[in-house]
Amino acid sequence: MAIFSDYPILAVRRMAYPVCAGYDCLANKGAVAALIAVPGIATPIVVVDTHLNSNTASGAPSTRAIYAYRRQLDLLADFIGSLGAGDRPILVAGDFNVGRDLARRTHFDLRMLGGEASLQTAVASCRIAPRCPVAEPSGMALSIGRGKDWMMYRPSPTVRIRPVALAAPFGQAANGTTLSDHVGVSVRYRIDTLAAPAASITTIASR
């Protein structure tokens, strides 16, 4: 996993998931977080990237795969909480391998959309926004239907985040082929400072 930024990266933290299932154990999956200073935004933004255990493709029994998946989501929620993200704006993206499995979706909703993480999905927010164009809609629809790749965010008391455009620049060709087993999707956010914080304090540590 990697996070690229045109703006200064102030700190980085990484975590490898200590529990896994099947072939995924060979991939050393985990999460990486970067604290990024965005010009014009008083509070640095936390960006998190992750890749979670697959289901059938892992080759592990479904009971083992779902156990590993739930534990990874629990650890990811704790990881996000440890970044001090409750007072910071945060962007999260990655291959969450939710798919159409009800048990996975239930735990995903519990830990990512609720609890400490309490994130919002860019796709859901864009659907109800008055203006949020979707480029390459067929590719975006394919990605949404697969339910693997998720782009989420959470504003802070001093920073507002709004998705303003979605795109699938690397989708499916006319002959049905793709560059990857995933559709390449992106979201464009508008980020605004609501009020200057009383003090700029950085608590995320690099390691």
Side-chain angles (χ1 to χ4, degrees), residues 49-67:
D49 184 21
T50 190
H51 192 181
L52 276 76
N53 214 100
S54 59
N55 194 5
T56 305
S58 71
S62 59
T63 52
R64 173 61 189 173
I66 189 60
Y67 168 78

Side-chain angles (χ1 to χ4, degrees), residues 23-169:
Y23 299 125
D24 284 40
C25 293
L26 302 175
N28 197 32
K29 291 180 174 179
V32 60
L35 187 66
I36 299 176
V38 178
I41 305 300
T43 305
I45 295 175
V46 177
V47 178
V48 179
D49 184 21
T50 190
H51 192 181
L52 276 76
N53 214 100
S54 59
N55 194 5
T56 305
S58 71
S62 59
T63 52
R64 173 61 189 173
I66 189 60
Y67 168 78
Y69 186 75
R70 286 171 172 162
R71 287 291 296 120
Q72 288 180 1
L73 276 175
D74 293 343
L75 292 165
L76 178 61
D78 292 343
F79 180 66
I80 292 173
S82 74
L83 302 173
D87 296 323
R88 287 203 185 96
I90 182 169
L91 305 176
V92 179
D95 179 0
F96 282 82
N97 270 315
V98 180
R100 298 182 178 90
D101 186 271
L102 181 59
R104 286 176 172 246
R105 181 56 193 263
T106 299
H107 205 66
F108 172 85
D109 288 351
L110 176 68
R111 298 314 308 262
M112 292 295 101
L113 308 185
E116 284 187 80
S118 191
L119 302 168
Q120 301 176 56
T121 70
V123 168
S125 297
C126 201
R127 281 175 171 168
I128 62 174
R131 293 182 180 179
C132 188
V134 179
E136 299 88 22
S138 61
M140 183 60 65
L142 179 61
S143 177
I144 294 171
R146 293 182 74 246
K148 304 285 187 180
D149 304 300
W150 291 77
M151 300 169 292
M152 297 171 285
Y153 67 98
R154 188 174 70 196
S156 76
T158 58
V159 177
R160 177 174 57 185
I161 300 176
R162 291 176 294 160
V164 295
L166 300 175

